[in-house]
Amino acid sequence: MWFVGAIVTTVCFGVNNAIFKWSTGKGYSKVSLQIFFYLTAFILSLGYGLAAGGLNVSFISIVLGAAIGILNANGNIQMSKAYEKGPASLTSPIISSNAVFPVLSAALIFHEHISTMQWVGILIILSSVAAIQYTPARKEGKSDYYAWIYRIVLAILSFGALGILMKLGSTMGISSISILISMYGGGGLYLLIAIIAGKEQAGKQEIKIGAIVGLISIAGYSSYFYALKTGVASIVFPLISLNCLIVVFTGCVIFKEKIRAYQLVGVLSALLGIVLIKM
């Protein structure tokens, strides 16, 4: 069942990332959209925790959950800004390479076994990232290119660290709902500070879309914790990174983005690397 949980997480994350891409094209506020996403998820997760009973919130669960929430919020913001500078069909696969970090941590920190085939997959993913990189055709596009790379690096670091903390939380015997409540609460406070500092305005569309993303996120992260607690993390992380396929598909089909031949090879080899890691 942990495999099914990982698949559900993959679909949920892929749909949410596609929504972030779509909302970026519509010019909606990234921070405002996310704060309603976090608010919706926080209220629902807290309500469920209180109704189900047995909610045990500790200092560790609050700190760990808040850190995960802040990393997720920052990663989503950086990813959305990267969508403004480069095509989603390339941005998403590159950011999904963050799976390498939690996979390595599963072996080095949590002592999970990584086979030779999985090591080959990791190397293929790292090599593919270099091939996928978007190079602007015109010199005036250089500024967007460097901004694109900068946002991608920040997103990879945020999501990579998030994955490591998720695995840590799954090994500490902390209930998933306790971490989820702290995650959405801590991330929500971080976004509130960002909104106040940036003086961003929120419209009805941000509220509606944020609520939808929040519902999907709860399903995704609940399945994420379940998969990590009952399955093999070094397989779960790469499998979840396949959510980039949904964004690649929407980028090419819905947003009519085009990628070059060598970049397509990079995308396919990255997927091959993910498959090898999963074996």
Side-chain angles (χ1 to χ4, degrees):
M1 289 299 293
W2 65 267
F3 186 84
V4 176
I7 293 296
V8 171
T9 304
T10 301
V11 174
C12 289
F13 285 5
V15 171
N16 272 354
N17 288 341
I19 292 175
F20 284 133
K21 167 61 181 177
W22 172 80
S23 65
T24 296
K26 293 293 184 178
Y28 298 140
S29 169
K30 305 168 190 62
V31 180
S32 297
L33 187 154
Q34 279 206 81
I35 196 167
F36 289 109
F37 142 34
Y38 270 76
L39 179 61
T40 300
F42 175 73
I43 292 174
L44 291 176
S45 58
L46 179 61
Y48 173 81
L50 293 174
L55 184 61
N56 184 20
V57 179
S58 63
F59 175 76
I60 295 178
S61 67
I62 292 175
V63 173
L64 184 61
I68 292 174
I70 292 172
L71 286 169
N72 184 59
N74 184 66
N76 286 333
I77 291 173
Q78 301 306 326
M79 179 176 63
S80 295
K81 289 183 177 180
Y83 285 149
E84 294 178 344
K85 305 299 181 180
S89 51
L90 299 180
T91 301
S92 187
I94 295 177
I95 293 177
S96 291
S97 67
N98 73 79
V100 169
F101 297 103
V103 167
L104 290 175
S105 73
L108 300 177
I109 301 175
F110 303 105
H111 306 296
E112 286 190 358
H113 174 69
I114 296 182
S115 66
T116 302
M117 191 69 72
Q118 290 172 326
W119 280 116
V120 171
I122 290 174
L123 292 175
I124 289 178
I125 288 178
L126 292 175
S127 300
S128 299
V129 168
I132 294 172
Q133 282 192 24
Y134 167 60
T135 304
R138 297 176 298 175
K139 291 184 178 179
E140 55 266 31
K142 284 288 185 180
S143 60
D144 279 353
Y145 171 70
Y146 292 129
W148 182 68
I149 290 295
Y150 173 69
R151 297 300 179 183
I152 282 178
V153 169
L154 292 180
I156 288 176
L157 293 176
S158 293
F159 289 132
L162 182 155
I164 296 173
L165 292 182
M166 288 282 290
K167 174 58 181 177
L168 177 62
S170 70
T171 63
M172 296 178 67
I174 304 173
S175 68
S176 301
I177 190 65
S178 296
I179 294 182
L180 284 175
I181 292 172
S182 300
M183 167 187 164
Y184 292 121
L189 288 175
Y190 168 77
L191 291 167
L192 180 60
I193 294 173
I195 283 182
I196 294 174
K199 298 180 180 181
E200 297 196 33
Q201 301 295 321
K204 292 183 178 179
Q205 289 301 318
E206 280 93 341
I207 296 175
K208 292 179 181 178
I209 297 171
I212 293 173
V213 172
L215 291 172
I216 298 174
S217 177
I218 287 179
Y221 272 100
S222 297
S223 301
Y224 199 168
F225 273 113
Y226 174 78
L228 287 176
K229 284 187 174 182
T230 59
V232 181
S234 56
I235 295 177
V236 171
F237 289 125
L239 186 61
I240 291 175
S241 68
L242 287 172
N243 73 80
C244 68
L245 284 178
I246 296 176
V247 184
V248 169
F249 176 79
T250 56
C252 294
V253 176
I254 298 179
F255 303 113
K256 308 301 181 183
E257 294 178 348
K258 295 182 180 180
I259 59 176
R260 300 171 185 175
Y262 73 89
Q263 292 170 333
L264 178 59
V265 172
V267 171
L268 294 177
S269 63
L271 296 178
L272 172 62
I274 291 172
V275 171
L276 291 176
I277 288 178
K278 191 173 73 66
M279 293 179 66

